[in-house]
Amino acid sequence: LYTYPTRQQGMDMVRGVATIKILRDQYPPPTPITEDELLKEIADADAVVNVRSIPMNRKIIEAAKNLKIIARHGLGYETVDVEAASERNIVVTRATAQGPYPVAEFTIGLLLALAKKYIPAHVSIKSGKWESLKFKGSEARAKTLGIIGLGAIGSTVARMATLGLQMNVIAYDPYVSEEKAREVGAKLVELPNLLRESDYISVHAAVTKESKGLLGKKEFDLMKKGVFVINCARGEMLDEKAFCEALSSGKV
């Protein structure tokens, strides 16, 4: 059972061993996939390819009597009740084959856009103005980049920033060794130190019970005034109210 179609080549491979049913053949769909519809369609499914993060809660998982695997067409598990799936011995997988480079390159692009003020300058020019002095940017070189989460994406960002931009990279990740951090050009520090020292902060950690809301009011208060914050992880990593207050005050 596919919630939405994926690449034709991959679906053709599946068709060689199984019958495929697709709930919606385009995105965005003319009508959304409802829970009642999913409950009905999943009842006899042996496998689900969950595209576009359709919520797979306990009720839906328990309705799937033959289900053996939920394959997330994406990097995160947050839309799947992994605990409910594990109780039924249902395997939950995610797609990591595309590698860290697309997100890492996007992160560096955002960093440079912030440093050089590309976006407000573009908006100004589009409105017919020429305000070159107003949008004088800064160099990223020799600035401190703090990376929260030194997994595949965070490590790739660290390499790009140190080798390509000659930035000073520090990182916070309680699951990574100092040796691994050094290999990618980063120095491990505690989170409060990272927040105090960084000119740029880039978030690349997974959302867990421990990391949800990791950056709240206390953390924003520790940051430098005018710090740039890039979040290419999940929105839940930041306390939205505290983040908006930091933006409004000019702290971020």
Side-chain angles (χ1 to χ4, degrees):
L1 180 67
Y2 280 71
T3 52
Y4 293 95
T6 60
R7 290 185 179 180
Q8 193 62 47
Q9 182 181 5
M11 294 178 66
D12 287 344
M13 292 173 65
V14 175
R15 283 193 178 94
V17 295
T19 301
I20 287 180
K21 181 167 186 178
I22 304 171
L23 294 184
R24 295 291 186 276
D25 60 4
Q26 65 182 47
Y27 188 87
T31 57
I33 298 171
T34 65
E35 183 179 272
D36 287 342
E37 180 183 6
L38 192 52
L39 283 168
K40 177 183 176 182
E41 298 293 346
I42 205 171
D44 298 321
D46 295 293
V48 171
V49 178
N50 188 4
V51 186
R52 297 291 176 182
S53 299
I54 302 301
M56 300 285 292
N57 57 34
R58 179 176 289 274
K59 182 179 178 181
I60 290 170
I61 290 170
E62 290 179 349
K65 303 304 180 185
N66 299 326
L67 195 60
K68 301 171 182 64
I69 183 170
I70 299 170
R72 270 282 295 114
H73 192 261
L75 292 175
Y77 293 119
E78 65 274 7
T79 57
V80 179
D81 189 330
V82 177
E83 183 178 347
S86 298
E87 290 172 5
R88 296 268 317 280
N89 293 320
I90 297 170
V91 176
V92 181
T93 66
R94 58 186 181 139
T96 60
Q98 70 177 7
Y101 294 99
V103 178
E105 290 175 2
F106 182 63
T107 300
I108 295 297
L110 292 176
L111 189 154
L112 291 174
L114 290 168
K116 305 303 181 184
K117 300 184 179 179
Y118 290 153
I119 296 172
H122 171 74
V123 172
S124 175
I125 290 173
K126 288 274 287 185
S127 68
K129 300 176 183 178
W130 178 251
E131 303 173 295
S132 59
L133 295 179
K134 183 178 179 181
F135 301 113
K136 185 178 180 181
S138 60
E139 288 188 359
R141 182 179 62 87
K143 296 294 195 306
T144 297
L145 169 63
I147 297 176
I148 298 175
L150 208 58
I153 294 172
S155 294
T156 305
V157 171
R159 289 192 188 96
M160 291 178 175
T162 52
L163 297 175
L165 299 178
Q166 299 178 40
M167 298 185 76
N168 171 43
V169 177
I170 57 178
Y172 169 72
D173 192 323
Y175 305 104
V176 169
S177 67
E178 291 185 4
E179 181 182 1
K180 171 65 186 302
R182 282 195 298 269
E183 288 176 2
V184 299
K187 176 186 176 183
L188 282 184
V189 297
E190 293 300 320
L191 183 59
N193 293 339
L194 181 147
L195 300 174
R196 292 189 190 98
E197 297 173 21
S198 298
D199 301 297
Y200 298 82
I201 295 172
S202 192
V203 184
H204 300 285
V207 174
T208 64
K209 291 179 181 178
E210 294 76 24
S211 67
K212 190 173 183 179
L214 184 68
L215 298 183
K217 185 180 186 308
K218 181 178 72 174
E219 287 72 30
F220 285 114
D221 287 345
L222 289 175
M223 297 177 190
K224 293 181 179 180
K225 183 174 176 58
V227 65
F228 293 113
V229 177
I230 300 167
N231 182 21
C232 283
R234 296 294 191 253
E236 295 94 325
M237 293 294 297
L238 280 64
D239 180 307
E240 189 172 309
K241 181 181 178 182
F243 188 37
C244 289
E245 289 175 355
L247 286 170
S248 298
S249 70
K251 185 66 179 277
V252 174

